[in-house]
């Protein structure tokens, strides 16, 4: 009955189905193996999910910058990871004296707001400069030039910071409040992890409100749907693009400060890997899609944290944590093959098609 | 003349020429009064004797390379900057502490046939490709701070025939750590972490082998990527195995994250973490903050008292020449490397009445390998048949203050084992 359809099946289809089946089988076998081994306690599993949510929240904040710029300009801003670094690095010079004087321990919320504002301002300004110098001249050019320029900007930022502050690592101050343990439903977690997840969620909710409820947000969505039509409707496209870069920069700034307080170290190259991971998260969630980037970030963080223990350990793989990046990027490749539009879908592209 | 005859005679001539060239390789080279199977360096009267060095002298690991290079310069100064009647001239190259850099530096040095010997590198990853290039050009090499076992392994192959090493071999380090952990501390269950680098992975393997031989158990064998920042999942896994201690001979980045995040993992709060000298220095102190307190590292003893008798004078001369005390731990090795080469040159060099000096390279290489009981600033130096000449005084140090300004090997980190030398 369906002979006609069967005839249309190609070798590529069969191979892809086989790949899917193999990966799903591996994941199931690994998970069963881990369950049988029963190596981890419930508390340890919950801790690992929490580690994943912590780093995932930071990925999500950076991913938002990638996704918004892509939504408006159809451009991957490869310098975004380094913009994240500039904020965290500059805020160090505020955080260190604040902690030393005891201000940060005494007025934690005010201190954190000051540090975050500095990081947000620096990130936004650098994002704007990168946009003005590297992207705007190429805005109407259909070529790879803006992409190459973005990579150049990324190198420039890294080495500018290396030149200014040296290649050594700087330690973020310890804050007493963050070092304490918080107990929820019988599980203990370091307080900083909660702070990061809640702060990331709050920042994302604010962004969601800006994009969906304000006039500027409406303009952003209009420009991302059709730039020319939006311009004809009287929207100042330049203004919208600048606003997008400021928003993306601010999210990266908050992400940078949270990252720095979790991992306590900043150096000139720190933005590269979180940047790549966040870009993967944006693609995972569906690039150009704001809720998708948030979901992609958290999802990537949790899979990275749980994956080695859940899938690889059960398969008997030695030293599975070395393969953590492999899990993350395999997932990215799988998404690109089987669901190129991402988990939530590249909403705009679909509407256009 | 027929063209075919011309072709035939050309072919015959080229065969003869090729044959002559091929057989000449097996002949000894005779320059002046000296004969050598490899080559002879001729130094006219008044011309300098050229010694090349290659170390990491740019980027994050600059201190490691520069400190070693300076050691060699101090040694030359102690020799009065002359050797067998010729002024010593250095050719300093940068290897960037990676394979590509080592290859570039060695190629540059090999292009200069006046170079008598090379000193370097400070990193195994750079020395591995560099030493064969140098030896192919007839330049013997002294590895100053590259400690990977492969460089002096019995199966290292003839391309490494020109390489001796003045620093300790990691095989010894892994063995000693296992002995100390099992016998002195009484640890029975160990967990290990490496970062996939040839240095850390090999060191961990040697440790595991020796620890198991003693009767210990390796309960968790883990690895992370060198750029990882989140060590908590891997530490959680280690916590499930309930080890007595964790051995992690990783570099600054990974080590500092381990130090900071270990305390967050239930079950690991009291478990000791032991690192190696790969992460030693002010960088680790800056990166780890107050959690560094109590962190232990295994290394060769670093205090002046643990070194050879000439060390203190050398340290003062270093200060005089460069305006600061040694910036890392391998200046003594640089010094001894230069002295080893100088002694060997003195043994084999032939100076004619007109002041021209001839140095046969094969004889020089053999004299370097034959070094026995040489009193160096790092201790008594004797080379084995595979070129291992390093001195190793195993010691464990513990950090007592996280402030990078207080870094002073011996006091902070403080030696906790052995109590006396």
């Amino acid at each position: 009955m369906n002979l006609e359809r069967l005839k249309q099946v190609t070798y590529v289809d069969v191979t892809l189905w086989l790949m899917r089946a193999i990966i799903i089988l591996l994941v199931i076998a690994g998970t069963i193996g881990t369950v049988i081994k029963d190596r981890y306690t419930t508390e340890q599993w919950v801790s690992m999910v929490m580690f994943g949510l912590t780093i995932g929240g930071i990925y999500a904040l950076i991913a938002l910058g990638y996704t918004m710029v892509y939504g408006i300009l159809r451009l991957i801003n490869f310098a975004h990871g380094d913009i994240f670094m500039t904020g965290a690095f500059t805020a160090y010079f505020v955080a260190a004296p604040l902690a030393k004087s005891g201000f940060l321990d005494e007025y934690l919320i005010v201190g954190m707001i000051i540090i975050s504002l500095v990081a947000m301002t620096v990130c936004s300004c650098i994002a704007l400069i990168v946009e003005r110098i590297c992207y705007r001249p190429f805005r109407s050019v259909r070529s790879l030039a803006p992409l190459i320029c973005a990579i150049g900007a990324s190198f420039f930022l890294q080495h500018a910071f290396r030149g200014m502050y040296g290649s050594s690592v700087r330690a973020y101050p310890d804050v007493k409040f963050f070092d304490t343990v918080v107990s929820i439903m019988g599980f203990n977690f370091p307080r900083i992890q909660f702070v990061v997840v809640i702060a990331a969620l709050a920042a994302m909710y604010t962004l969601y409100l800006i994009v969906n409820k304000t006039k500027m947000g409406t303009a952003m969505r209009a420009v991302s749907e059709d730039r020319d039509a939006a311009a004809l409707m009287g929207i100042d496209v330049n203004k919208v693009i600048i606003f997008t870069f400021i928003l993306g920069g601010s999210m990266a700034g908050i992400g940078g400060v949270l990252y720095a307080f979790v991992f306590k170290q900043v150096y000139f190259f720190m933005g590269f890997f979180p940047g790549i991971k966040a870009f993967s998260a944006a693609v995972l969630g569906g690039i150009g899609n704001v809720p998708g980037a948030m979901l992609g970030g958290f999802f990537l963080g949790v899979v990275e944290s749980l994956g080695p223990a859940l899938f690889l350990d059960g398969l008997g793989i030695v030293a599975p944590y070395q393969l953590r990046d492999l899990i993350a990027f395999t997932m990215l490749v799988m998404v690109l093959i089987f669901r190129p539009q991402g988990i939530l879908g590249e909403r705009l592209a679909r509407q256009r098609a | 003349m027929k063209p075919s005859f011309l072709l035939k005679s050309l072919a015959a001539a080229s065969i003869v020429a090729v044959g002559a060239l091929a057989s000449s390789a097996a002949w000894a080279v005779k320059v002046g009064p000296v004969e050598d199977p490899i080559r002879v360096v001729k130094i006219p009267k008044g011309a300098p004797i050229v010694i090349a060095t290659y170390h990491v002298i740019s980027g994050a690991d600059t201190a490691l390379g520069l400190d070693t290079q300076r050691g060699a310069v101090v040694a030359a100064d102690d020799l009065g900057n002359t050797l067998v009647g010729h002024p010593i001239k250095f050719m300093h190259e940068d290897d960037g502490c990676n394979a590509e850099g080592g290859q570039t530096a060695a190629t540059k040095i090999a292009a200069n046939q006046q170079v008598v010997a090379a000193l370097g590198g400070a990193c195994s990853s750079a020395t591995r490709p560099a030493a064969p290039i140098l030896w192919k050009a007839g330049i013997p090499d002294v590895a100053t701070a590259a400690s990977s076992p492969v460089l002096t392994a019995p199966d290292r192959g003839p391309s490494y025939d020109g390489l001796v090493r003045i620093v300790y071999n990691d095989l010894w380090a892994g063995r000693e750590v296992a002995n100390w952990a099992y016998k002195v501390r009484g640890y029975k269950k160990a967990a290990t972490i490496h970062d996939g680098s040839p240095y850390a992975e090999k060191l961990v393997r040697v440790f595991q082998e020796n620890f198991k031989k003693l009767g210990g158990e390796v309960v968790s064998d883990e690895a992370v990527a060198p750029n990882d920042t989140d060590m908590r999942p891997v530490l959680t896994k280690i916590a499930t195995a309930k080890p007595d201690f964790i051995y992690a001979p990783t570099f600054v980045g990974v080590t500092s994250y381990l130090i900071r995040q270990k305390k967050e993992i239930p079950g690991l709060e009291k478990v000791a973490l032991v690192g190696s000298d790969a992460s030693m220095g002010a960088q680790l102190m800056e990166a780890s903050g107050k959690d560094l307190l109590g962190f232990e590292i295994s290394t060769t003893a670093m205090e002046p008292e643990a070194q050879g008798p000439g060390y203190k004078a050398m340290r003062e001369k270093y200060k005089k020449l460069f305006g600061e005390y040694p910036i890392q731990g391998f200046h003594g090795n640089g010094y001894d490397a230069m002295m080893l080469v100088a002694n060997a040159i003195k043994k084999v060099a032939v100076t004619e009445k007109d002041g021209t000096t001839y140095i046969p390279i094969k004889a020089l290489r053999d004299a370097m390998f034959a070094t026995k009981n040489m009193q160096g600033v790092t201790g008594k130096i004797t080379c084995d048949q595979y070129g291992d000449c390093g001195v190793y005084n195993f010691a464990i140090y513990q950090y007592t203050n996280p402030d990078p300004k207080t870094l002073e090997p011996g006091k902070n980190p403080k030696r906790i084992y052995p109590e006396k030398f």
Side-chain angles (χ1 to χ4, degrees):
Chain A
M1 44 165 203
N2 272 337
L3 217 60
E4 280 306 307
R5 277 179 72 184
L6 268 180
K7 271 183 190 166
Q8 286 173 359
V9 173
T10 61
Y11 285 114
V12 176
D13 291 334
V14 176
T15 320
L16 288 181
W17 273 106
L18 273 177
M19 266 175 76
R20 269 184 232 206
I22 289 172
I23 296 231
I24 290 170
L25 277 179
L26 279 178
V27 167
I28 292 173
T31 312
I32 292 173
T34 307
V35 171
I36 291 172
K37 269 189 193 168
D38 195 22
R39 184 173 186 154
Y40 301 91
T41 61
T42 316
E43 177 157 17
Q44 282 165 336
W45 282 118
V46 175
S47 304
M48 279 199 263
V49 172
M50 197 62 198
F51 302 149
L53 289 177
T54 314
I55 186 79
I58 295 164
Y59 288 159
L61 285 174
I62 312 173
L64 286 169
Y66 278 106
T67 228
M68 284 191 296
V69 168
Y70 182 83
I72 301 277
L73 288 179
R74 298 287 176 280
L75 163 87
I76 307 293
N77 178 8
F78 266 115
H80 195 60
D82 300 291
I83 290 172
F84 155 84
M85 175 273 294
T86 60
F89 211 126
T90 316
Y92 163 81
F93 296 102
V94 182
L98 279 184
K100 214 170 182 185
S101 64
F103 183 87
L104 199 56
D105 277 327
E106 211 162 317
Y107 309 101
L108 182 69
I109 294 178
V110 183
M112 286 301 284
I113 288 174
I114 295 175
I115 295 169
S116 303
L117 279 178
V118 170
M120 286 160 74
T121 314
V122 170
C123 283
S124 303
C125 289
I126 291 185
L128 282 183
I129 295 171
V130 169
E131 192 274 331
R132 182 67 192 84
I133 296 175
C134 301
Y135 305 147
R136 198 178 293 182
F138 300 106
R139 205 180 281 164
S140 52
V141 180
R142 281 258 158 248
S143 75
L144 282 177
L147 190 73
I148 305 291
C149 228
I151 296 171
S154 159
F155 278 108
F156 176 81
L157 288 175
Q158 279 169 23
H159 290 276
F161 269 71
R162 181 185 174 158
M164 285 193 290
Y165 304 116
S167 58
S168 69
V169 171
R170 281 159 204 268
Y172 252 64
D174 294 306
V175 179
K176 280 187 201 122
F177 179 76
F178 290 158
D179 280 350
T180 50
V181 170
V182 51
S183 197
I184 288 180
M185 289 165 66
F187 299 113
N188 293 326
F189 307 103
R191 195 179 294 266
I192 180 72
Q193 294 178 2
F194 268 95
V195 173
V196 169
V197 175
I198 289 167
L201 285 175
M204 284 180 229
Y205 185 66
T206 314
L207 179 87
Y208 189 78
L209 288 183
I210 293 175
V211 174
N212 285 295
K213 305 280 181 207
T214 63
K215 215 172 160 190
M216 199 49 158
T218 315
M220 270 174 76
R221 283 179 290 143
V223 172
S224 73
E225 255 180 54
D226 192 325
R227 200 196 299 166
D228 298 334
L232 289 174
M233 293 294 131
I235 292 172
D236 186 343
V237 174
N238 257 338
K239 218 165 142 189
V240 170
I241 291 173
I242 287 173
F243 185 73
T244 308
F245 272 87
I246 291 177
L247 268 188
S250 305
M251 290 296 133
I254 297 174
V257 170
L258 296 177
Y259 181 92
F261 273 101
V262 173
F263 294 109
K264 300 281 173 66
Q265 286 182 23
V266 285
Y267 75 116
F268 73 97
F269 196 59
M270 65 177 270
F272 183 75
F273 283 100
I276 298 267
K277 292 276 174 69
F279 169 62
S280 309
V283 176
L284 262 179
I287 194 145
N289 184 330
V290 171
M294 300 178 192
L295 183 77
F298 280 115
F299 187 63
L300 185 71
V302 172
V303 170
E304 248 189 24
S305 173
L306 281 183
L310 193 58
F311 317 139
L312 300 181
D313 218 10
L315 293 173
I317 290 171
V318 182
Y321 283 93
Q322 214 175 3
L323 304 177
R324 180 153 58 175
D325 291 351
L326 184 89
I327 293 186
F329 293 124
T330 307
M331 207 164 68
L332 178 67
V333 172
M334 289 297 125
V335 166
L336 286 178
I337 293 176
F338 298 117
R339 200 177 155 76
Q341 70 272 39
I343 299 173
L344 291 193
E346 192 190 336
R347 194 188 296 160
L348 304 161
R350 206 170 50 193
Q351 280 176 357
R352 278 183 161 188
Chain B
M1 200 190 291
K2 282 182 188 171
S4 65
F5 178 75
L6 181 71
L7 275 177
K8 274 180 196 163
S9 50
L10 268 178
S14 48
I15 287 169
V16 171
V18 168
L21 275 175
S23 57
S24 74
W27 293 345
V29 185
K30 192 164 192 297
V31 182
V34 184
E35 205 177 86
D36 191 84
I38 295 174
R39 69 182 184 110
V40 177
V41 180
K42 180 183 171 188
I43 307 166
K45 186 180 183 211
I49 183 163
V50 184
I51 306 288
T53 74
Y54 65 100
H55 293 105
V56 44
I57 46 176
S58 69
D61 294 311
T62 303
L64 168 66
L66 194 61
D67 189 53
T68 319
Q69 181 186 304
R70 284 173 171 182
V73 175
V74 175
D77 196 78
D78 275 356
L79 292 165
N81 284 315
T82 50
L83 195 55
V84 289
H86 296 266
I88 297 172
K89 189 180 159 195
F90 280 110
M91 171 184 179
H92 295 306
E93 292 298 331
D94 182 10
D95 69 22
C97 201
N98 55 49
E100 298 80 10
Q103 191 167 12
T104 313
T107 311
K108 219 167 149 188
I109 294 168
N112 183 349
Q113 282 291 294
Q114 275 310 103
V115 173
V116 178
L119 314 176
C123 300
S124 303
S125 39
T127 313
R128 242 183 125 166
I133 296 172
L134 293 171
W135 188 231
K136 211 175 160 197
I139 299 171
D141 184 15
V142 189
T144 46
S147 58
S148 171
V150 289
L151 295 174
T152 53
D155 61 352
R156 63 180 183 160
S159 56
Y160 287 91
D161 268 355
L163 179 74
V164 297
R165 160 161 60 196
I166 202 87
V167 70
Y168 61 84
N169 185 326
D170 285 336
L171 286 179
W172 314 337
R175 191 182 59 215
E176 292 293 336
V177 176
N179 267 334
W180 166 79
Y182 191 84
K183 291 181 183 159
V184 181
R185 278 286 169 87
Y187 295 142
K188 300 286 179 275
K189 291 195 287 180
T192 58
I193 304 177
H194 67 78
D195 59 7
S197 68
Y199 163 80
E201 186 165 5
K202 187 75 191 167
L203 193 47
V204 159
R205 295 283 166 260
V206 176
F207 164 80
Q208 290 177 342
E209 212 173 280
N210 285 283
F211 194 68
K212 283 181 199 158
K213 243 187 243 163
L214 289 165
E217 191 191 347
V218 177
V219 289
S220 196
D221 172 12
E222 299 302 330
V224 294
N227 56 337
D228 269 0
T229 51
D230 197 356
M231 303 293 156
R232 289 169 295 203
V234 73
L235 285 170
T236 303
K237 185 178 175 199
I238 287 177
T240 62
K242 300 191 173 60
D244 296 330
F245 91 116
I246 304 168
Y247 181 48
T250 42
F251 290 88
V252 175
V254 170
T255 312
S256 61
Y257 290 120
L258 285 172
I259 292 173
R260 278 186 182 273
Q261 293 168 16
K262 185 175 74 83
K263 65 165 197 272
E264 291 177 22
I265 308 300
L268 289 185
E269 301 92 340
K270 298 268 180 274
V271 176
L273 177 67
V274 179
S276 78
D277 41 7
S279 65
M280 219 222 54
Q283 277 262 352
L284 181 76
M285 304 175 83
E286 171 72 38
S288 314
K290 68 176 188 334
D291 298 323
L292 183 73
L293 271 185
F295 177 64
E296 292 164 328
I297 54 164
S298 71
T299 176
T300 184
M302 296 176 287
E303 300 98 314
E305 306 84 63
Q307 314 289 332
Y311 181 75
K312 278 183 185 157
M314 185 240 161
R315 203 173 128 88
E316 289 311 317
K317 186 162 248 179
Y318 187 113
K319 170 96 199 284
K320 206 180 110 198
L321 289 179
F322 304 109
E324 56 184 342
Y325 279 117
I327 50 176
Q328 236 268 5
F330 293 98
H331 47 279
N333 302 85
Y335 183 96
D336 284 349
M338 180 64 208
M339 284 302 183
L340 186 147
V341 167
N343 286 344
I345 290 176
K346 280 182 202 160
K347 266 186 222 157
V348 301
V350 176
T351 305
E352 294 259 84
K353 275 186 193 147
D354 65 354
T356 308
T357 300
Y358 300 90
I359 301 172
I361 291 299
K362 174 78 169 56
L364 175 67
R365 177 257 173 216
D366 291 346
M368 283 163 60
F369 271 74
T371 302
K372 224 175 176 180
N373 290 326
M374 181 187 116
Q375 186 59 64
V377 295
T378 56
K380 274 232 163 85
I381 288 158
T382 299
C383 296
D384 72 8
Q385 56 174 321
Y386 302 113
D388 251 332
C389 320
V391 179
Y392 190 51
N393 295 315
F394 172 73
I396 296 279
Y397 289 78
Q398 187 176 45
Y399 284 94
T400 54
N401 189 335
D403 184 1
K405 287 189 201 94
T406 61
L407 176 73
E408 192 187 341
K411 292 198 178 106
N412 184 33
K414 185 177 161 236
R415 192 182 71 236
I416 53 166
Y417 178 85
E419 278 176 21
K420 275 200 181 119
F421 286 106

